[in-house]
Structure formats: C-alpha cells, structure tokens
Amino acid sequence: MTRLGIIGFGALGSFYANMINREHRVDGLTVTAICDIDPERLALARSLYPDAHLYDSADKLLKDKKCDFVSVAVPHYAHPEIGIECLELGMPVLLEKPAGIIPKTVRELNECALRHKDVPFGIMLNQRTNPIFRRLHQLTLSGKMGSLRQFTWLSRQFRTQHYYDSGSWRATWGGEGGGVLVNQAPHQIDLIQWMFGMPSSVFATANVGFHRNIAVENDVCAQFVYPNNATGVFITCTDDILGENRLTAIYDKGRVRVLNNSRMEIERLCDDEESLGTNYTDAELEDLRKSGKLFETEIIENEKDPFANSEHAKVFRAFADHLANPSKPLVAEGVDGLNEVVLAGAIQLSGWLRRPVDIPADDDLYLAELNSLIEREGKYPKR
Ligand SMILES: NC(=O)c1ccc[n+]([C@@H]2O[C@H](COP(=O)([O-])OP(=O)(O)OC[C@H]3O[C@@H](n4cnc5c(N)ncnc54)[C@H](O)[C@@H]3O)[C@@H](O)[C@H]2O)c1
C-alpha cells in the first residue's frame, strides 16, 4: 500500500479522502495522515478516519513521516511555501493547482525543485488526463494541422454567492489572490499554454464583483497574441447558470472544435488553407465543397465518466505508480505549474492596468499592483 498524507482537509481534501479510503477508487493507495489548521475540520477528519494520524500543522505531518507522499489542498497562496518545505524534507508532493499566486514565489518553488530533483513533485492539473485535450496537445505538437492561427475558448461557469461566502479567504485579494482566474479557470489557462504554447502578450477586461458581492474578478475576456501573430480569445465567468464550454482552434490545415470537454471534431482540409485561398478559383472551391472533398471529419467522444471527477483519481494513480517506478511519468510535473501562474497573472495585470501586457509580465509590477488591491481591501497583510 502507498500511504498518502492530506494537507488541508477542506472541500477538496475531504473529497480526496472519501474517494480514496471510502470509495477505494485508487488501487493500492490509502490515506494515513491528515492535517488541517482548523480544529473543526480536524475533528471531522477524526470522526471519519479514526485510523489516520492527525496533525494541526503541515510541518508536524511532514516530520512524522507516516506517509509516502502528500497532497497539498490548502488555499493557493500557501502552495509554494508548503511545496518548498516538502521538497526540502524529501517528501514527495502533489501540489494542488494553481502552483501559487505570485509568479516570483512559484519561481522560487521551481528553483527548489531543481535542487531536489530526486524528490517526486507533481501538480494536480487533472484536466490534462482528458483524452481529448491530450489529443489536441499532440495534434498541435506534431504539426500535422500546420500552425495555430486562432482560437476561441468560451468557458462560462457558475458559482453561487453561497459558495463565495463559504470560506473567508474565498474571492478576496489578500486571502485568495483573485477570482475566476486563480480558482475556476486555472485548468483552462494551463491547457491553453499546454496545447497552444505561451502567448507573447495579452489584453484583458476583468470585471470584479460582476453580479456577485465579491471583491475579485469573475467576468473576464482575454485576447492573446502569439509570436507568429496567431491570436486567441479566452472568455470566462462565474455567473452563467446555464453554462457553456466551447473551444474552437483554427490551424493552417483545418479546424478543431471541442464541446463540453467531451466531444471533439477534427476537420482536416484537403490542402493548406493558404493554398486553397490563393491557388483555386471560387468555382473550383465550390466543386470541392459540393463533392465533399474539401475536408474530412473525425469525431472523438469521451466515454461517460461513471464518477464525478475520475480525472483526480488518475493523477493520484500516476503519482503512486511513479513512486514505485520512477520511469512511469506523472500527469504533470510540478514545475509545469509556473506557466499557468504566469499567464493568469498577466491576464489579471492587463485587466488592472487596462492595457496590453507582455508575457511574461513584470513580476515586480504584478506584486505591487496586487499589494495595492490587498491594501485597499484592508483584510489581510500585504504579500
Ligand atoms: N484540482 C481541482 O480540480 C481543484 C478543485 C477544487 C479545489 N482545488 C484547489 O484546492 C485548494 C483548496 O480548495 P478548497 O476548495 O478545498 O478550500 P477549502 O477552504 O474548502 O479547504 C482548505 C482547507 O485548508 C485548511 N488550511 C488552510 N491553511 C492551511 C495550512 N497552512 N495547513 C493546513 N491546512 C490549512 C483550511 O482550514 C481548510 O480546511 C485550492 O488551492 C483550490 O484551488 C483544486
């Protein structure tokens, strides 16, 4: 049995404990240690998992070594700090997304990881297990569709006011570090950089407290420019009760559309678009269209997930397998978390300054702007 320690027994940490110790959805893995700084959460853990070792600080859990690796499921700002302590103590660590809020601190985490390459370090970018996004990642890398020209991703989500009010750290600058860009959308932001590469600049509108009583952004429209002048638009919000998740990517040689993370249509043109657009007459193109030879379509549909969030179980499975056999890959290496944090931070900064921002953004400017928001909010000390 591989033994897991959970740091942070909140909504997610308790979901993991239930998934692993009660539903037994990760073969060979068992939760043996749990830590939370909140006595009420610790009491709940005690009642549900009387056999587990319990701790009121991450430091105590890590030093007691009653587990083979830990999952860090605490509010985002603390991820780099606890991650660094794990790596320095030689404890393999699976960090929650986002890797952090402040790019500078995530860079420090990655530098620490470089000094401790022998300590397994992963990040819960669970949507990278989705076969559709893996395929799109490969498709872009292979160059079979040519270069990316443009994408649009509409990822409209829904969170109630009750959700925002459920934790004092939520939706605050000082406790959470932002809104949809640092909590709900990091999966999409990571996939954007994983599937399409890092853009060179962003121009964003980020409305704060849009139809919700919160201080942070929950309605965002970001426009990216890539080094080859390709463009991308990412739209996200948390006030769409009907919800929408629709990605379209245009390449030199066709189009890919993904609906609800579960259905992908790949349309491959019979020739490069530029060749079709310059070497053919309108009549010739019409003939190609009518004869059905202009493009061919491949449709991929994911199987229905019998559980909510099997993706997380897959990430734990891969981590445990990697511990047993280091040649087996993690779903995402811990150091991979940095690009997502850099991208989310650049979108935020552009929204705050109301102007385009180069990527990577200026770390010091980002921190100064964040700190002025924290100061104005008046609930937490500056970072
Ligand atoms: N990968 C995913 O799909 C996914 C889903 C949900 C949440 N998350 C991430 O998980 C993290 C936690 O989110 P949540 O919704 O469970 O929050 P939560 O507030 O419900 O739980 C956080 C818990 O951590 C505890 N805690 C705070 N600081 C601590 C510390 N220093 N040491 C030990 N315990 C500490 C709190 O008391 C609380 O019980 C966030 O970073 C969030 O982004 C990821």
Side-chain angles (χ1 to χ4, degrees), residues 7-13 16 35-38 41 57-58 72-76 78-79 82 96-98 124 126 169-170 182-183 187 312:
I7 299 177
F9 191 71
L12 188 68
Y16 287 159
C35 144
D36 203 293
I37 52 170
D38 178 348
R41 297 303 299 179
S57 83
V72 177
V74 303
H76 336 304
H79 294 176
I82 296 180
E96 262 317 312
K97 63 80 199 149
M124 181 59 85
N126 45 283
W169 65 280
R170 291 197 194 280
V182 301
N183 194 318
H187 293 296
H312 300 89

